[in-house]
Amino acid sequence: MLFKFINLVFKSLGRNKVRTALTGMGVIVLVAIYAIVTNVTSTVKSKISGGDQTRLIVSERWTMPSQIPSRYVSEIAKLPGVKNFTTWTIFVGFLDRIPQADRQVAVLSVHPQTLREMHGGLMDLPDEVYEEWLSTKDAVLVGPGMMKKMNWHIGQQFTVFGARFPPVDVQYRIIGTIPGGEWASAIFCRQDYLADASDNSGSVNAILLSVESEERAKQLASELSKEYENRQPALKIETESAGVARFASRSTAVLQIIDAVVAILLIDMVIILSNSISISVRERRVEMAVLKVLGFQPLHIAIMIIGEAMFVGGIAGMIGTGIVCSISTLTLSGAIPLAKWNSFLLQFPVPWSAVLWSGLLGAGVGLTGSVFPAMATRKVKVSDVFARIA
Amino acid sequence: MSDVIVQVDEGFKEYSRGAERVEVLKGVSLKIYRGEFVALIGPSGSGKTTLLNLIAGLDQPTRGRVVINGRDISRMSESELARWRTTAIGFVFQFYHLIPVLTAYENVELPLLLLNMSASRRRKQALNALGLVGLSHRLTHRPGQLSGGEQQRVGIARALVTDPALVVADEPTGDLDGRKKEEILDLLQQLQEGLNKTILMVTHDHTAASRAHRLLRISDGMLLEEHAETREEALALAFPDAKLRP
């Protein structure tokens, strides 16, 4: 029965094309914003909730920035239960000798052999690039966002003029790019090269450990904390999830505000659709009365009204997110030049699966926004409508 | 013609206008027989359309009984009435009231969507109804692309498509003039004669009323007793100045 009304629903949408288009565009814009914002918040939330319990972060307990003696690295990496490890040392500097804020970079130096295993998302790094990384000491791998921002290309050499004292200049060679996502703006270099170039092989900023099990990770964190408590320098060991939770406690308030904004966006979408449908219902009172005369039940008419709103909402939702996904994909592939307005899409690429749920979201918004106007059609009394015409 | 298809017994209808109660129908009783073409005439505000609404199941009497084709519709619920109207009554409006975004064919097919009917059967019936009104060549035209007379033909086809026994028409020629009016009246007459439909038509118009077998005159919510021997006498009583009209 309902399927038979689909033609009527589609045709009714063409009744006032300008209004349908404007309503659709209103929803498209809001869904696009909604898709971007929820994508950012859900990514952050998944990071917070999905912190790995088998990974430990070791840093200096009392000093910032953390400086861990290199001798600790070999001691800790050999401990039973440690499957893999890397070190992190951040080298901050400028691309020109005269410092300029927009030319500042932070190069993350890591243990070269475990780059892929210890950094989520880098398993997709092609083998040939990885091989070159292992064999080239001054190699750097750069995130696509940073490549675009600095207008770099593969094979290019650049120098980072160190920002700390004593000044150190380090020259690098770009051998490849890394996948987007959380490393979109990162620059990875080899720890051994930085140690040589800066003549500092004595310390690293942090050690990351991958442990065989959650239980062993907890045990190891406890053992290491005790063992290094009274050494100089003392160490702080925590699981990645604990570290993330610490970050999360600071960002929870921000996320709550963003959630409130998202809720307001949804309400706004409902109001836009509801307003448009209400006007449409008011304009079509006579037509609805005619349908009732022909034998249509109030429920049939309500279903048609709701169907129109769900269709507009659903299609507009899919278009809105489809546009965002397209921009996200084209930005990642480099087809769209990176600008400030789309650089965040490198960190938070919107998946194509979002188009489907945005369609469902739009249809849901259409349903919510049209229920009251559709119920109002029950009040259309045929005799009253015809009396007014007469 | 002895079979009663419409029977109204002591039909009353009151409306509230603010605190005031307005009695529009004051105990109307009538019978209409199967196959009759009846014109319901009377001055504006006399209760013609209200009576038509009661007979078509669009409204309920405050008191009294309305029996159509043997069924008492005066106590039916709104949804029961809606279901009943689909197959029992064909409605022709003064201003056609076609759905502007649908084609002539789709407008005629509309009531059939409510019935448990296959698409092919719906198509057959809708084409048949449009054929009866001579619009087989205008299937894909929208109302805006049709003349007033053609739109009313589509309206009549829509009224006939479910094959109802009773067709009620509220001023079906009220928005037409001259030849178009005659064409619509000819069509209604042909349908009544050819398909043995019962037609109840509200009209102000002498020409339209003259096509009917019988006139029902209503004034101030009451049916007037007719003393005329012939239809011509009844017409002369109902439209005393008709000859003066161009």
Side-chain angles (χ1 to χ4, degrees):
Chain A
M1 171 71 82
L2 298 179
F3 185 71
K4 295 183 203 169
F5 299 149
I6 284 177
N7 183 42
L8 196 53
V9 169
F10 285 157
K11 296 233 167 164
S12 289
L13 289 172
R15 187 182 303 269
N16 190 332
K17 291 187 179 73
V18 174
R19 185 170 56 222
T20 303
L22 288 174
T23 306
M25 285 196 306
V27 177
I28 285 171
V29 171
L30 289 174
V31 170
I33 296 169
Y34 178 87
I36 292 166
V37 173
T38 49
N39 188 53
V40 171
T41 55
S42 63
T43 306
V44 173
K45 283 175 186 170
S46 73
K47 285 281 167 204
I48 290 170
S49 61
D52 197 337
Q53 299 272 5
T54 64
R55 287 165 68 95
L56 298 178
I57 300 171
V58 182
S59 57
E60 199 181 342
R61 181 177 286 268
W62 305 116
T63 312
M64 284 288 283
S66 161
Q67 294 292 338
I68 302 174
S70 296
R71 65 177 188 280
Y72 283 15
V73 177
S74 49
E75 290 172 19
I76 292 170
K78 282 182 201 157
L79 290 170
V82 175
K83 278 197 314 182
N84 225 330
F85 81 98
T86 191
T87 56
W88 274 8
T89 303
I90 300 169
F91 177 56
V92 179
F94 295 89
L95 296 172
D96 306 299
R97 194 166 291 284
I98 298 167
Q100 289 175 16
D102 62 339
R103 301 276 290 165
Q104 188 175 30
V105 292
V107 181
L108 181 61
S109 56
V110 299
H111 193 63
Q113 280 75 20
T114 57
L115 172 77
R116 292 202 292 197
E117 293 80 2
M118 292 302 292
H119 299 92
L122 295 195
M123 285 307 284
D124 296 335
L125 196 67
D127 288 343
E128 61 274 18
V129 176
Y130 188 59
E131 290 301 323
E132 194 176 349
W133 157 265
L134 291 176
S135 61
T136 312
K137 212 166 178 190
D138 62 348
V140 287
L141 292 165
V142 183
M146 186 57 73
M147 288 289 273
K148 290 273 176 193
K149 184 181 172 189
M150 296 302 174
N151 200 22
W152 284 338
H153 56 84
I154 292 170
Q156 182 171 341
Q157 288 188 310
F158 65 89
T159 302
V160 177
F161 299 94
R164 294 192 191 122
F165 189 83
V168 176
D169 303 343
V170 184
Q171 196 171 53
Y172 297 104
R173 180 147 34 110
I174 302 169
I175 60 143
T177 56
I178 48 180
E182 63 183 297
W183 305 112
S185 297
I187 305 172
F188 281 99
C189 85
R190 293 170 48 147
Q191 173 65 35
D192 52 347
Y193 177 66
L194 180 70
D196 288 352
S198 62
D199 201 21
N200 174 20
S201 56
S203 67
V204 295
N205 291 153
I207 307 168
L208 274 76
L209 303 175
S210 172
V211 184
E212 62 190 13
S213 67
E214 285 183 20
E215 199 182 335
R216 178 65 188 135
K218 278 183 202 161
Q219 203 180 16
L220 202 56
S222 168
E223 285 171 11
L224 282 172
S225 295
K226 274 186 196 155
E227 190 178 334
Y228 285 87
E229 194 175 12
N230 297 318
R231 286 176 66 170
Q232 187 57 7
L235 296 183
K236 178 175 70 184
I237 299 100
E238 59 187 349
T239 58
E240 187 181 83
S241 58
V244 170
R246 198 155 39 79
F247 159 76
S249 66
R250 282 182 292 221
S251 58
T252 301
V254 177
L255 287 173
Q256 281 172 345
I257 291 168
I258 294 174
D259 282 344
V261 171
V262 166
I264 290 166
L265 281 177
L266 279 175
I267 292 167
D268 209 12
M269 277 192 270
V270 169
I271 291 169
I272 285 180
L273 269 165
S274 188
N275 182 47
S276 180
I277 296 291
S278 295
I279 294 169
S280 172
V281 165
R282 208 159 36 244
E283 283 176 357
R284 287 153 62 188
R285 279 176 66 84
V286 172
E287 193 176 303
M288 284 162 191
V290 171
L291 290 176
K292 281 191 173 181
V293 170
L294 297 179
F296 281 68
Q297 302 274 358
L299 182 64
H300 294 142
I301 297 170
I303 285 170
M304 285 192 282
I305 299 292
I306 290 170
E308 287 175 30
M310 287 179 73
F311 184 78
V312 171
I315 294 294
M318 291 173 86
I319 292 173
T321 309
I323 291 170
V324 175
C325 285
S326 303
I327 294 173
S328 174
T329 307
L330 293 171
T331 304
L332 281 174
S333 70
I336 294 183
L338 193 74
K340 276 184 184 168
W341 64 267
N342 66 348
S343 59
F344 64 90
L345 288 171
L346 290 168
Q347 270 84 27
F348 304 100
V350 183
W352 281 99
S353 59
V355 174
L356 181 65
W357 63 252
S358 293
L360 295 173
L361 172 82
V365 164
L367 172 69
T368 314
S370 61
V371 164
F372 285 110
M375 278 167 64
T377 61
R378 294 182 70 89
K379 292 179 189 159
V380 175
K381 212 173 170 193
V382 287
S383 50
D384 287 355
V385 173
F386 292 132
R388 275 177 203 147
I389 293 165
Chain B
M1 212 187 263
S2 58
D3 185 7
V4 175
I5 192 164
V6 178
Q7 183 171 343
V8 181
D9 296 327
E10 288 295 305
F12 285 84
K13 183 67 190 176
E14 286 178 4
Y15 290 110
S16 339
R17 195 181 290 155
E20 190 189 358
R21 301 289 294 173
V22 181
E23 200 168 49
V24 184
L25 292 180
K26 300 168 182 172
V28 171
S29 295
L30 64 88
K31 282 181 183 172
I32 297 173
Y33 298 92
R34 192 175 299 277
E36 259 195 313
F37 187 166
V38 175
L40 181 60
I41 57 175
S44 293
S46 59
K48 299 186 299 294
T49 299
T50 303
L51 179 57
L52 195 75
N53 285 343
L54 295 189
I55 291 170
L58 301 178
D59 212 345
Q60 303 276 39
T62 315
R63 276 178 286 149
R65 202 165 72 111
V66 179
V67 180
I68 308 294
N69 221 358
R71 274 191 86 174
D72 185 352
I73 63 163
S74 39
R75 298 290 170 261
M76 280 187 188
S77 69
E78 199 178 325
S79 61
E80 281 174 328
L81 274 174
R83 268 195 296 275
W84 171 80
R85 278 197 302 269
T86 309
T87 50
I89 300 281
F91 214 105
V92 181
F93 303 95
Q94 179 181 358
F95 298 109
Y96 333 126
H97 289 316
L98 303 176
I99 309 295
V101 291
L102 300 182
T103 63
Y105 169 79
E106 288 165 341
N107 266 289
V108 174
E109 191 196 26
L110 206 50
L112 299 177
L113 298 178
L114 299 166
L115 304 176
N116 190 14
M117 195 179 273
S118 68
S120 60
R121 191 157 163 232
R122 280 205 308 270
R123 182 164 180 80
K124 194 177 165 191
Q125 272 190 231
L127 292 176
N128 187 38
L130 280 160
L132 282 172
V133 299
L135 282 180
S136 299
H137 61 298
R138 295 286 211 185
L139 301 181
T140 57
H141 289 68
R142 290 191 179 185
Q145 299 167 308
L146 299 171
S147 69
E150 286 174 323
Q151 287 187 58
Q152 191 57 294
R153 281 168 183 271
V154 176
I156 292 169
R158 183 176 65 184
L160 293 172
V161 75
T162 57
D163 195 24
L166 175 65
V167 174
V168 293
D170 191 3
E171 302 264 15
T173 57
D175 198 42
L176 301 171
D177 50 19
R179 200 168 54 84
K180 297 270 168 57
K181 180 162 71 177
E182 292 290 348
E183 282 173 10
I184 293 298
L185 290 169
D186 287 346
L187 178 61
L188 286 173
Q189 207 164 7
Q190 283 163 20
L191 295 171
Q192 180 268 318
E193 287 165 3
L195 303 173
N196 197 33
K197 299 288 177 197
T198 307
I199 296 178
L200 174 60
M201 175 177 67
V202 165
T203 185
H204 277 109
D205 182 61
H206 171 263
T207 315
S210 67
R211 300 294 188 101
H213 297 144
R214 189 154 64 98
L215 301 184
L216 293 173
R217 285 172 66 200
I218 189 167
S219 179
D220 194 25
M222 290 181 286
L223 276 182
L224 300 181
E225 291 289 326
E226 288 296 357
H227 302 292
E229 295 283 319
T230 63
R231 191 180 62 161
E232 285 67 30
E233 276 182 287
L235 273 169
L237 277 171
F239 300 96
D241 56 345
K243 283 176 190 163
L244 301 175
R245 292 180 184 176

